[in-house]
Amino acid sequence: MIYQNPIISGFYPDPSVCEAEGKYYLVCSSFQYFPGVPIFESEDLVNWKQIGHALTRKSQVQLENVSSSGGVFAPTIRYHEGVFYMVTTNDTTHQNFYVYTDDIYGEWSEPVYIDQGGIDPSLLFDGGKVYFISNGTDDYGVGGITQCEIDIKTGKKLTPSKNIWQGSGGRYLESPHMYKINGSYYLMAAEGGTEYGHMITYARSDDPWGEFKGYEKNPVLTNRNLGGFEIQGVGHGDLIQAKSGEWFVIHLGFRQIGQYDTFHHLGREVFMTPIHFGADGNFTAGSNGTTGRSYEISGDFVRQEHKLFTFENTDISLDWVYLRHPDLDNYKLSAQGFELTAGEATLDEPKSPTFIGIRQRAFVGELSCEVTTEGGEAGITVYMDENHHYDIAVRQTDEGFEAILRLNIGDVKCVQNSVKLRGSTATLGIGMNNYAYTFTVTENGAALHLGGAQTRYVSTEVAGGFTGVLFGLYAQRGGKGRFKKFEIKYQ
């Protein structure tokens, strides 16, 4: 069948994948959001269903005062002798750790810390040994891809950390994964930075400690020279073999808002590109080393597309996330509606405001929700970070109630428009396309256009960072908000 990229849309960056007992499992970065590290399951590598998170308890990950795009970086998932392992970095505390479980649908362990620095850690189980790999500086002061052997029961280092490869010459060497395939060790990495110069490179060796020799045609996969092409930032991948024997690299990429408009706001998404091994043992990838919109995979199945999101058909513990560690006393959540009570923090602070968000999954669509406030302010935010978000809300003033549209773009924060309401309830609407959001308020059947805002100002190119837009329901400034009839329809 022909599948379309991306295979998982929206802010799900840095994918890692493994196979276990006939199914595939995938994890992604979560940064400052909680629960951390979403977990997906698939039977065909194309249709993915989220089944949980690896980091669901405050004791597993420190997120207090974590800056936007700080926190949990680049996880790797591996399966060995009936146990799943997820290894990652808390970039804010500069700690590498792993958690494990023998039940992928259940809870994961408390963290086991490894005394090796760097980011983007990975594991290789080989010949009764466990190798821990990250990018950073080794015990001898040499930078690059660094490796040590560990005791998987305790995380204790069994060997010194040693540099094993310094890449092909691109900047920001990262995302190391090692595989043993047909007796050879393949060390795959990303270079160029997770932006328009991103690329996947690899090296080979007969020994896990090297010497690793870079593929002479590196990069093996990149879209960096495809000017005017929507799919950019291709890199940070993980190899997987399908049941048919076909090989693929599952990797991140992002979609520009237009062919020649170099802005992206949905975040880095999950793409899949076929690879082919040659007689010499080297592999090539994609369409002459680039990632395209669609490819073929063996199998007779149908791509399942999810275009409608409501309170009733989403899972609160899977589809929705908080900013950092929430005060759960401020949230009453059910399929019938959400009730949020404001805490001390606001959306403009790198803290944990009363906020629960769902990722924007496509460019074109519309959102609506009935919002009631009891004092203060309750509304919906198009949220990139604390300095870049658009808020449409109902709030109480000394004169009564009003609906507002507030734009927050860096240091410029202003209420673009406001309209008085007869009561404390209104239906708030957000229209979306590649280039702009439009905002409406409806009270007693009468709709009013409050204004619009360009998507580029909540894009990574403007805001910076590594995340993507979420639609967040929030309450702040002493308010209590009730949210009903939530709906997102994507085209």
Side-chain angles (χ1 to χ4, degrees):
M1 65 93 68
I2 303 296
Y3 68 88
Q4 301 288 324
N5 273 319
I7 56 171
I8 303 177
S9 60
F11 158 52
Y12 292 103
D14 307 321
S16 175
V17 63
C18 73
E19 185 272 335
E21 300 178 2
K23 294 185 179 181
Y24 308 100
Y25 297 92
L26 183 150
V27 293
C28 298
S29 295
S30 52
F31 297 97
Q32 73 268 32
Y33 291 99
F34 184 81
V37 186
I39 307 166
F40 292 84
E41 182 182 71
S42 176
E43 295 187 355
D44 53 33
L45 288 176
V46 173
N47 292 296
W48 293 91
K49 178 183 179 182
Q50 190 173 347
I51 59 170
H53 291 87
L55 305 177
T56 58
R57 303 185 301 279
K58 190 174 182 180
S59 60
Q60 292 174 302
V61 59
Q62 195 285 110
L63 293 177
E64 286 84 359
N65 300 314
V66 165
S67 61
S68 290
S69 293
V72 179
F73 275 32
T76 296
I77 188 169
R78 293 293 182 256
Y79 180 72
H80 181 69
E81 296 182 347
V83 179
F84 291 91
Y85 298 87
M86 188 285 295
V87 58
T88 189
T89 305
N90 187 330
D91 187 62
T92 301
T93 62
H94 307 295
Q95 292 175 302
N96 286 314
F97 66 93
Y98 60 90
V99 293
Y100 57 88
T101 184
D102 59 7
D103 178 10
I104 193 69
Y105 307 105
E107 289 289 308
W108 292 65
S109 73
E110 289 298 298
V112 179
Y113 295 96
I114 303 101
D115 186 22
Q116 178 169 297
I119 60 171
D120 298 5
S122 187
L123 296 172
L124 173 68
F125 294 85
D126 179 53
K129 296 181 178 181
V130 184
Y131 299 95
F132 176 82
I133 310 149
S134 62
N135 68 295
T137 303
D138 71 7
D139 289 347
Y140 309 97
V142 180
I145 303 302
T146 299
Q147 178 175 274
C148 66
E149 186 186 338
I150 65 169
D151 179 344
I152 196 62
K153 298 294 185 182
T154 65
K156 181 181 178 181
K157 286 174 61 172
L158 302 179
T159 67
S161 297
K162 177 187 175 184
N163 175 268
I164 56 173
W165 193 47
Q166 292 184 303
S168 67
R171 67 175 184 165
Y172 302 139
L173 178 64
E174 58 187 337
S175 179
H177 294 303
M178 193 185 297
Y179 317 88
K180 188 177 183 180
I181 303 172
N182 296 328
S184 292
Y185 294 89
Y186 292 76
L187 178 57
M188 194 169 73
E191 301 180 48
T194 184
E195 49 192 87
Y196 290 86
H198 214 25
M199 54 185 173
I200 292 177
T201 61
Y202 74 92
R204 291 175 62 191
S205 175
D206 294 328
D207 187 283
W209 290 104
E211 181 182 358
F212 281 91
K213 182 179 179 181
Y215 174 50
E216 64 180 13
K217 296 182 181 179
N218 274 327
V220 67
L221 185 67
T222 183
N223 280 21
R224 64 184 182 180
N225 294 324
L226 293 182
F229 193 69
E230 288 96 336
I231 300 174
Q232 293 289 347
V234 167
H236 198 117
D238 206 358
L239 297 183
I240 190 72
Q241 187 175 26
K243 300 170 188 176
S244 62
E246 299 165 296
W247 284 88
F248 295 87
V249 56
I250 290 181
H251 58 90
L252 66 77
F254 56 79
R255 290 177 288 168
Q256 296 177 191
I257 61 175
Q259 188 171 6
Y260 299 104
D261 292 277
T262 53
F263 300 92
H264 74 283
H265 62 286
L266 299 186
R268 297 171 297 157
E269 305 175 294
V270 182
F271 292 74
M272 184 167 71
T273 303
I275 69 170
H276 301 281
F277 284 89
D280 61 357
N282 287 319
F283 65 84
T284 58
S287 309
N288 296 317
T290 66
T291 292
R293 276 289 191 185
S294 62
Y295 290 102
E296 187 172 357
I297 185 172
S298 297
D300 185 16
F301 55 91
V302 177
R303 176 76 179 268
Q304 305 294 326
E305 293 191 84
H306 193 184
K307 294 190 175 184
L308 177 66
F309 295 80
T310 66
F311 286 148
E312 293 80 9
N313 76 0
T314 54
D315 188 315
I316 295 168
S317 65
L318 300 179
D319 300 294
W320 297 82
V321 292
Y322 307 94
L323 276 166
R324 304 169 185 89
H325 289 302
D327 181 351
L328 292 178
D329 290 339
N330 290 332
Y331 299 82
K332 294 182 180 179
L333 310 174
S334 74
Q336 288 69 49
F338 291 2
E339 181 179 297
L340 308 182
T341 300
E344 294 183 1
T346 70
L347 296 175
D348 298 335
E349 301 173 84
K351 296 183 179 180
S352 185
T354 301
F355 164 106
I356 184 166
I358 189 169
R359 292 162 172 86
Q360 183 176 349
R361 302 292 293 270
F363 288 117
V364 182
E366 55 188 19
L367 179 157
S368 65
C369 186
E370 181 183 284
V371 179
T372 302
T373 189
E374 293 182 8
E377 176 181 316
I380 307 168
T381 180
V382 177
Y383 187 88
M384 173 58 88
D385 61 31
E386 60 268 17
N387 293 314
H388 301 85
H389 54 96
Y390 305 144
D391 315 325
I392 181 171
V394 178
R395 70 181 182 184
Q396 188 170 15
T397 70
D398 293 340
E399 290 76 32
F401 295 93
E402 65 179 3
I404 64 165
L405 171 61
R406 181 174 50 238
L407 308 184
N408 302 266
I409 304 169
D411 295 326
V412 180
K413 304 177 185 297
C414 68
V415 173
Q416 187 186 55
N417 200 0
S418 64
V419 58
K420 291 184 178 180
L421 299 174
R422 297 177 182 177
S424 60
T425 299
T427 296
L428 305 181
I430 302 174
M432 62 197 90
N433 61 39
N434 296 49
Y435 304 101
Y437 298 98
T438 56
F439 301 89
T440 58
V441 58
T442 302
E443 184 182 32
N444 298 325
L448 179 67
H449 174 72
L450 281 182
Q454 295 182 60
T455 59
R456 68 175 60 197
Y457 296 118
V458 288
S459 71
T460 297
E461 288 76 14
V462 173
F466 306 119
T467 60
V469 165
L470 278 74
F471 295 119
L473 311 182
Y474 74 92
Q476 62 183 16
R477 298 185 173 91
K480 176 183 286 188
R482 291 189 173 89
F483 302 82
K484 297 181 179 180
K485 302 176 183 178
F486 177 87
E487 182 178 273
I488 303 175
K489 287 182 180 179
Y490 293 117
Q491 291 186 12

